[in-house]
Each structure stands twice: as structure tokens, then as C-alpha cells.
Amino acid sequence: MDFIDKFGLQRRPDSDDTFGLCDGQQLLFVSSSWSFVTMAKLFWRYGYDVIKLQRLVSAMLLKFSSIYNLLDSGAAYDTVEDLIMAMDPSLIKLMGLPLSQYLKLSGLQPGFVDEMVTAATLTNYGQRPDIHAFVGMVALAGAGNELTAVMGGNYQVAVKAVEESGATVRKERVEKIKFTGDAYLVTSADGGGAPQTQVFDIVIVAAPQTADHAPIVWEGLPAPLHFPGRYHNLSVTFVDGELRPGALAASSLPEDILCSAGCAEFNSIGRVRPVSGAQAPHAVHKVFSNAPLSAPQLDALFAARRRERRLSWLAYPSYGVGAPLGNFTLRDNLYYLNSVEAAASAMEMSVVAARNVANMAYARWYNRPPPDMRRFEHTEL
């Protein structure tokens, strides 16, 4: 959010869109455009679980935020585990148990987890609360109402950041990286011309390198690199058309529909708003699912479809309990930023990992060991 102010960008006004939870057959809960009415309805259905969850998320975010002062002081961490431990040792324990179990141990009721928590994890990661608890808590933090958007599109933050840094951006695909003993030869192509090779002293890889993500070809390394894990396939269908309320046994539908434990065909349906803040001439919806939706499935959800567009991609890791956490350093002057996604895939996690790797690369290149800032007083989560 600091970047929005720093770069003179405008925040989009908050909308009064409503959301609903469904089990694939009917709506279980519908919010109100009045926040106090929504809170009253949440308490009526879920009791104090709403407050318990807010406190858990707030406690986790407080621990997470400690990393910013550490990184600003020049600290750097070789492994993802060390980075999370630096935030607070209790957070690493969340990697070792499912989110559903962690919330149960924290006193939340199964019904709340099946409905509200499942909606958050399906919406943010396309996966259910059997994901490990750290990424699950990131998903729940991302479901809060403290989020903001930039007028004209969030991409402007990245564009302004690149301009501010003075970096040269080349829109090319890296095909091969070869280690020569004291430098790296990086071969890239833009799709139109012949591949080009340049020499670099330091290489930072900021793209997933698991086997299912079309990895870069590596040459000249003394030992092969291993990138564990696989990515979760996600599909989105943009539909210019009107939803069919009867599909969820309702007379009218909220702007956003989130799926709970009973859903099988889709994860969420959201109303798409123009980034300019202007009023859209037609209702456009985005439907997220774990597999492409067929025409009959879309016909069941929409009364009319004027246009549609489908996309599928490997969006984020498939999260299980106890998955290995990798290293940021692959070898001397070769770094891998996306190791952090094993803990949680999110823009903020990538920013933290990038600052960490930048600190590490700078300190090692100039032979200035980063300060040891791991001895901090922490509280249990």
C-alpha cells in the first residue's frame, strides 16, 4: 500500500458488493451491503468463531510483519525455513499440520471450517482446508476486507516500481542457463528472432522451475538441480451474460458466490468490474474452477451467454502437509526466488523473498555478511 502513495496512484473506491456461500445446490449465507447487518448474520450463523478467526489471522499477520524490519536492516536467509523462523518460530509449526486441524485445535467449529474457511481456500488457492496451515492462514488473510485496488489496474504498481528501480526490462523467455566456472551464460529468445546469449555475474531466477512448469535448461553445473513439488491447475471462464438464480435455488444472487465444502464443479463466481471504476454496460462474471467448464455446465449457471473466454494455467503449488521447503541459494551467485511459494504463493510473499535475495546477493558479492538477527523474542502462536 505504501507504493500506491509513493507513486501517486489512486485507490479504487470500496464497493458495496455482496457475497454468498453456496454448497453447489443452494445459498447457505448471503451478506448485506450494510456491514453491521453482515456481522450480525455471521454471528447468528457461526457464533464467536468469526471473532476467533479474526484474532488468529491478526496474530499471524503481526508475527509475519516482523520480517520487514529485519530485511530493512540487511538481514538475509538462505532457506525458506530460516525466513519463516525469523518471523517467529511458531509459524514454521503451521507447515506441519492441515489448516482444518489447526483451526479445530484453536476452538473453531467444523461447520464454520466447512463453509467459511473452505470458501476462502477454494477462492484463493483452488484447494480445500487440508492444505498446510501457514498457506491456509495466508488465504484467510487474503479474504479480509482490508484489501485495496488501484484505479486503472494493479499492474501499475509493478510498472512504477520497475521505472523507479532503473532496471532494463527485456520481454524474452529464458531458455538456457550455463555455468562457466566464474559466470553464467543466459540464453533467451523473444519468439521472433534468433536466441541471444549474455554473460552475467549474478542470476536470480524468479519463475517456477518444477517439472510441470516448463523448466529452464541448465548446463555446466557440478550437480543437477532438483526442484520439488508440482503446481495446481486452475481454470477461469469469463462470461458476458446473466446468471441463472434458479441454479442455486434462489430468486436473486449476490455479486460474488463462494463455494463451501459441498461444491464440486466450480470454486467461485465473481462479478468483474472495469478497473477504471466506470459502470460496465453488461454483467461480466469470472468463474474459477479446477477443470475447464463444459458448455452444459455453463448453461446450468447462466441464463444467457453473449461472449465467453476460457483460460487455464498452473497457478500455484499443490499444497500438502510436510512438503519440503527449499533454498534461495542454488549455488554461488545463483538464486531462486520461487522457493518461497512452498510456504505460500502470494504477491507479498514474492516481494519478501525478492528483498531477502537482494540482501543476500549484495552481501555476498561485496563480501559483507548480513547481520545475524535470528535471536529475537517470540511468542507462541
Side-chain angles (χ1 to χ4, degrees), residues 73-279:
S73 300
Y77 306 95
D78 236 342
T79 69
V80 177
E81 181 173 355
D82 286 343
L83 180 73
I84 303 300
M85 288 281 287
M87 297 174 184
D88 195 285
S90 65
L91 294 183
I92 204 69
K93 299 176 183 178
L94 298 182
M95 310 280 186
L97 72 165
L99 175 64
S100 55
Q101 181 182 347
Y102 170 64
L103 295 179
K104 180 181 178 180
L105 293 173
S106 300
L108 274 67
Q109 298 301 310
F112 182 72
V113 174
D114 287 345
E115 294 182 11
M116 189 65 70
V117 174
T118 300
T121 59
L122 276 176
T123 299
N124 286 306
Y125 290 107
Q127 297 164 72
R128 298 179 184 275
D130 55 355
I131 59 178
H132 66 68
F134 184 88
V135 70
M137 293 299 288
V138 171
L140 291 167
N145 57 7
E146 299 83 8
L147 306 181
T148 190
V150 177
M151 186 73 76
N154 293 343
Y155 76 93
Q156 296 174 96
V157 175
V159 170
K160 294 289 187 181
V162 169
E163 291 175 355
E164 182 82 4
S165 72
T168 299
V169 178
R170 296 173 53 179
K171 296 182 179 180
E172 300 175 0
R173 181 183 182 87
V174 173
E175 297 179 343
K176 183 172 66 175
I177 297 176
K178 181 177 181 179
F179 181 56
T180 64
D182 57 0
Y184 295 93
L185 301 180
V186 178
T187 301
S188 61
D190 61 7
Q196 298 183 3
T197 299
Q198 284 188 290
V199 181
F200 292 92
D201 296 312
I202 300 173
V203 172
I204 299 173
V205 179
Q209 293 300 295
T210 50
D212 57 357
H213 234 59
I216 295 168
V217 174
W218 302 89
E219 294 182 355
L221 296 174
L225 298 176
H226 176 61
F227 300 95
R230 61 185 180 85
Y231 272 64
H232 182 83
N233 197 295
L234 189 70
S235 295
V236 61
T237 307
F238 291 92
V239 180
D240 180 357
E242 282 72 38
L243 284 167
R244 192 189 299 276
L248 296 176
S251 57
S252 63
L253 295 174
E255 284 79 6
D256 297 312
I257 301 169
L258 313 178
C259 282
S260 65
C263 284
E265 293 186 350
F266 64 92
N267 300 336
S268 66
I269 303 174
R271 184 77 175 266
V272 180
R273 304 291 188 183
V275 295
S276 64
Q279 187 69 30

Side-chain angles (χ1 to χ4, degrees), residues 78-80 325-330 336-337 339:
D78 236 342
T79 69
V80 177
L325 299 175
N327 297 344
F328 292 111
T329 304
L330 299 179
Y336 180 48
L337 190 150
S339 289

Side-chain angles (χ1 to χ4, degrees), residues 30 34 71 141 188 216 249 298 353 355:
V30 178
W34 298 89
L71 295 176
S188 61
I216 295 168
L298 290 173
R355 179 61 185 272

